Amino acid sequence: MDPYFTAELTDFKIVVNVLKAITFKEFAILRPMEEGLKVTVDEMKCVETSAYIPHTMFTSYHVNPQEDIKFKISLKVLTDCLYIYGDDGNPCLKMTYKGPGSPLSLLIKHNDDIKVDCKIYTLDIKDSTDFLSLADECTLNKIVVNANQFVDILSYLDNASDELQLDICPSPPHLTISTVSAMGESQADISRNSEMVLLFQCDKTFSARYTFGYIKQIFKVMSLANKISISTGESGLLGLQLVINEDTRPLYVEYYVSAMFESD
Amino acid sequence: MRFRAVLVDNAAMKDFLTTVNSLSKLSKECVMRITIRHVYFIIPDDDTGPRRPLVWCELPVNFYFREFNLEGVSHEQNEIYLGLSTAMLLKSLSTVKQNAKSLKVKLTNKQAPCLTLEMELTSTEGLQNRHLVHDIPVEVIGRKHWGEYAEPQFNDFHVSMQMPNLKPIKSIVERMKNMGHSLIVSATKFGKLSLRIKTDVVSLTAHFSNLGIESFAVAHNTELLENTNDADATEVNSVVTATIDIKKFLMFLAGMQLNNCRTTCSIVHGKMVKLSCEQPGALSLQCFFTEILI
């Protein structure tokens, strides 16, 4: 029988870096789809992060089109395996997943004399978590910003704060990010005319608060990204789409976090 | 007891320093054994019941020292065993990196027994030469404890093979350490070395091929030989395996900063792994990893 999923990849340093940056939790769900490989980490159903590696990034990529393939795997072990040679050399990787119950096999070759053969045991996903398309939820506003400058702004905010408030408004100051803590308040206003804003779509005023700790998780990935798209949904859901390695072989990370409940 | 030795060659001093540097990465304390022909550094294995050396490092006297005077405990046992801190020795020795003209190593009694290092440094600005003295407190080890530091003798290795470049191995073993505690080392007679780790989540094997085999003993697994047919027996007998503590193995790889050293890996099936580094005529360092029980 044909294996469910096989793929070959060379020069995957950036993939490893992205996967390492999203390892917030031990386990991740891998979904090889025809368009590419999606790696999803979720936390308490209120934060979801996915890395999406398009099939064009692979030197060879094959999935069994009849099956909806998804399995759970230890992401920590996966990144450790992919990073097995450290920063040394330029290894090539072959991945195989035969089907439910089989391990994910990796064959990583450094050169003719050194190779690593690895089997990571997979877990079947029992509960039928239907993957809601969170992208469809986030339709209210859309802002595209330059990643570098946006990361700088976020890092200027008061680190001790527990909450982060996001205000988007069609009139000035357009985009406001603010924090409040015992130490004081910090606020950043970004105008739609700022050179870091590449796109600004907003028809309705939006305001929501988020746990700063969750937003901080994504900082590491943001620093790898070129562009960030910020979108929001009616329910207060915040979606960030990150484009990494834009010029050569792009790779995407999606991040969704739900808003905090207002206490009053 | 008297001991006095002099190093004058700067290259030899630096070699001495590199060795001490490697040792300090492996342990905080070590035992220095001084004999007429060799100076040994021994690091005992703390985990085993009867103390056994984990690291055994041998330096030939004539390579390093120009003058070497030794008067041991007695005429028959012309040896001295000293327990000392590797970190202190390293710190004191590190001055030889500047242009030291000579290094004297002496056993002295300054209120307590000390290993005294006297260095003469040439000054670059045409000033007078500087004279530097370091006293490292040592513990003189009594004769009744000498047995604990005897050289481990193993002649029954089932395989001895050359190790590949240690750098890629180090990074591989570093990742493996994050996944598990025990490392399965196996070697075949066809020059293939594999390092394997097996846990509930992952099974990972790193293969190194085309390595030089120095010796290989067949039929090491006699129990299996009787019970299985010939074809299986040949299969079983072509692989030698031992399971060791991954942390200690990594410690050796991380600590070894010795250049142009030939590293050999020897395995006693199901018992132990020995790694030895050799710089002919100048240094031989052996590390012993015993089988761990899971």
Side-chain angles (χ1 to χ4, degrees):
Chain A
M1 201 185 80
D2 269 0
Y4 274 38
F5 164 60
T6 55
E8 281 175 45
L9 187 59
T10 51
D11 193 13
F12 51 84
K13 227 165 247 173
I14 185 76
V15 177
V16 180
N17 286 342
V18 169
L19 291 182
K20 258 199 207 162
I22 66 162
T23 313
F24 316 127
K25 298 264 288 186
E26 164 106 46
F27 286 96
I29 293 166
L30 254 66
R31 292 207 298 159
M33 301 175 289
E34 279 189 66
E35 312 84 59
L37 177 65
K38 196 168 175 181
V39 182
T40 307
V41 184
D42 87 307
E43 192 167 333
M44 311 294 284
K45 307 257 183 230
C46 68
V47 190
E48 186 188 288
T49 316
S50 307
Y52 174 74
I53 311 158
H55 72 96
T56 47
M57 193 138 186
F58 295 88
T59 39
S60 110
Y61 187 88
H62 173 78
V63 290
N64 188 335
Q66 271 107 54
E67 306 287 342
D68 174 29
I69 313 163
K70 57 183 182 198
F71 52 89
K72 222 174 182 179
I73 195 171
S74 166
L75 189 56
K76 254 191 205 141
V77 168
L78 178 66
T79 48
D80 264 333
C81 289
L82 294 177
Y83 194 59
I84 194 101
Y85 298 113
D87 291 322
D88 223 29
N90 196 1
C92 65
L93 162 75
K94 193 178 167 188
M95 279 197 268
T96 317
Y97 175 65
K98 286 213 179 93
S102 327
L104 177 74
S105 308
L106 307 174
L107 185 68
I108 312 161
K109 260 192 184 169
H110 189 260
N111 55 32
D112 286 343
D113 287 340
I114 307 177
K115 61 174 193 235
V116 169
D117 175 4
C118 173
K119 283 188 174 57
I120 307 174
Y121 301 113
T122 57
L123 300 167
D124 293 344
I125 299 166
K126 288 267 164 51
D127 67 80
S128 55
T129 327
D130 36 337
F131 286 90
L132 290 170
S133 174
L134 293 173
D136 297 342
E137 296 270 309
C138 289
T139 49
L140 209 56
N141 303 301
K142 192 173 179 189
I143 304 167
V144 180
V145 293
N146 189 317
N148 275 337
Q149 285 152 310
F150 192 65
V151 172
D152 281 347
I153 289 173
L154 288 181
S155 60
Y156 293 147
L157 296 171
D158 174 17
N159 233 325
S161 173
D162 294 332
E163 291 170 20
L164 179 139
Q165 180 159 344
L166 187 73
D167 292 285
I168 304 171
C169 166
S171 56
H174 303 300
L175 173 63
T176 304
I177 306 164
S178 51
T179 62
V180 179
S181 76
M183 307 292 289
E185 296 172 21
S186 60
Q187 181 173 333
D189 294 331
I190 302 163
S191 158
R192 65 180 296 169
N193 302 318
S194 158
E195 63 172 21
M196 67 174 279
V197 179
L198 307 169
L199 179 82
F200 190 90
Q201 279 175 6
C202 171
D203 309 317
K204 226 168 102 187
T205 307
F206 172 88
S207 175
R209 286 199 285 163
Y210 303 94
T211 310
F212 199 18
Y214 286 144
I215 309 271
K216 274 185 210 158
Q217 289 187 335
I218 197 78
F219 276 18
K220 232 181 179 175
V221 194
M222 277 187 184
S223 56
L224 297 170
N226 300 102
K227 268 187 212 159
I228 301 172
S229 154
I230 305 162
S231 51
T232 56
E234 292 280 358
S235 56
L237 187 72
L238 171 69
L240 300 175
Q241 275 96 23
L242 288 73
V243 187
I244 296 158
N245 218 1
E246 195 189 9
D247 303 327
T248 48
R249 295 189 297 170
L251 176 76
Y252 307 92
V253 173
E254 285 179 323
Y255 178 83
Y256 294 100
V257 55
S258 52
M260 288 172 69
F261 282 109
E262 296 294 332
S263 47
D264 46 13
Chain B
M1 274 188 289
R2 270 168 215 282
F3 168 61
R4 183 178 173 278
V6 183
L7 287 93
V8 283
D9 179 17
N10 202 258
M13 281 183 228
K14 278 180 185 154
D15 276 353
F16 194 62
L17 174 66
T18 327
T19 312
V20 172
N21 190 14
S22 297
L23 289 168
S24 72
K25 296 262 160 55
L26 300 172
S27 169
K28 280 188 198 136
E29 309 262 313
C30 75
V31 170
M32 186 179 179
R33 176 187 169 199
I34 307 159
T35 67
I36 286 290
R37 289 184 197 287
H38 293 103
V39 172
Y40 301 90
F41 287 100
I42 304 155
I43 295 171
D45 192 346
D46 297 327
D47 297 349
T48 54
R51 296 244 271 179
R52 259 184 312 204
L54 171 70
V55 179
W56 179 268
C57 175
E58 190 175 311
L59 307 173
V61 162
N62 54 15
F63 181 84
Y64 291 93
F65 305 100
R66 203 184 62 175
E67 282 174 47
F68 193 85
N69 306 311
L70 172 69
E71 228 172 85
V73 270
S74 70
H75 210 64
E76 295 78 46
Q77 287 168 304
N78 200 5
E79 296 184 22
I80 299 175
Y81 285 70
L82 305 171
L84 55 99
S85 146
T86 40
M88 265 193 234
L89 183 63
L90 175 68
K91 218 172 160 189
S92 312
L93 265 178
S94 53
T95 334
V96 303
K97 270 186 276 184
Q98 303 164 23
N99 281 325
K101 231 166 92 185
S102 72
L103 166 66
K104 268 183 221 158
V105 186
K106 287 194 288 195
L107 182 64
T108 53
N109 191 357
K110 300 186 174 177
Q111 290 169 334
C114 284
L115 193 69
T116 301
L117 305 180
E118 282 181 24
M119 275 163 264
E120 201 178 318
L121 303 172
T122 45
S123 92
T124 40
E125 289 100 19
L127 299 166
Q128 271 196 319
N129 285 354
R130 277 180 298 151
H131 201 70
L132 205 66
V133 181
H134 285 275
D135 292 318
I136 303 162
V138 293
E139 181 202 345
V140 178
I141 294 166
R143 241 180 292 183
K144 64 176 175 189
H145 295 295
W146 285 10
E148 291 170 13
Y149 307 106
E151 178 168 12
Q153 292 291 349
F154 293 96
N155 300 316
D156 50 352
F157 287 110
H158 293 119
V159 64
S160 278
M161 73 197 308
Q162 263 168 35
M163 285 285 271
N165 186 358
L166 295 184
K167 217 180 140 202
I169 300 193
K170 187 188 148 204
S171 57
I172 292 172
V173 177
E174 254 170 20
R175 303 306 149 230
M176 284 177 157
K177 199 197 80 185
N178 297 341
M179 301 176 211
H181 310 289
S182 54
L183 182 72
I184 305 161
V185 181
S186 41
T188 69
K189 63 174 159 190
F190 308 109
K192 210 165 139 183
L193 175 76
S194 50
L195 305 175
R196 184 166 4 129
I197 193 151
K198 239 178 148 172
T199 68
D200 300 344
V201 247
V202 66
S203 141
L204 190 148
T205 319
H207 303 276
F208 304 89
S209 41
N210 293 326
L211 304 170
I213 291 278
E214 287 172 7
S215 70
F216 192 92
V218 250
H220 56 269
N221 213 332
T222 38
E223 300 130 55
L224 273 161
L225 200 64
E226 287 159 17
N227 301 333
T228 45
N229 59 43
D230 287 349
D232 282 351
T234 339
E235 179 97 339
V236 164
N237 274 304
S238 60
V239 186
V240 182
T241 306
T243 310
I244 58 171
D245 185 344
I246 196 161
K247 270 195 208 136
K248 282 186 187 152
F249 190 73
L250 182 63
M251 207 168 70
F252 173 85
L253 295 173
M256 280 309 102
Q257 298 179 332
L258 309 167
N259 293 322
N260 41 37
C261 248
R262 217 177 47 146
T263 315
T264 318
C265 172
S266 312
I267 307 172
V268 182
H269 187 76
K271 287 261 164 56
M272 62 124 27
V273 175
K274 180 184 96 169
L275 288 183
S276 60
C277 256
E278 207 171 326
Q279 237 173 323
L283 165 79
S284 125
L285 193 146
Q286 302 173 57
C287 248
F288 303 89
F289 307 97
T290 40
E291 173 97 3
I292 53 167
L293 302 167
I294 309 158

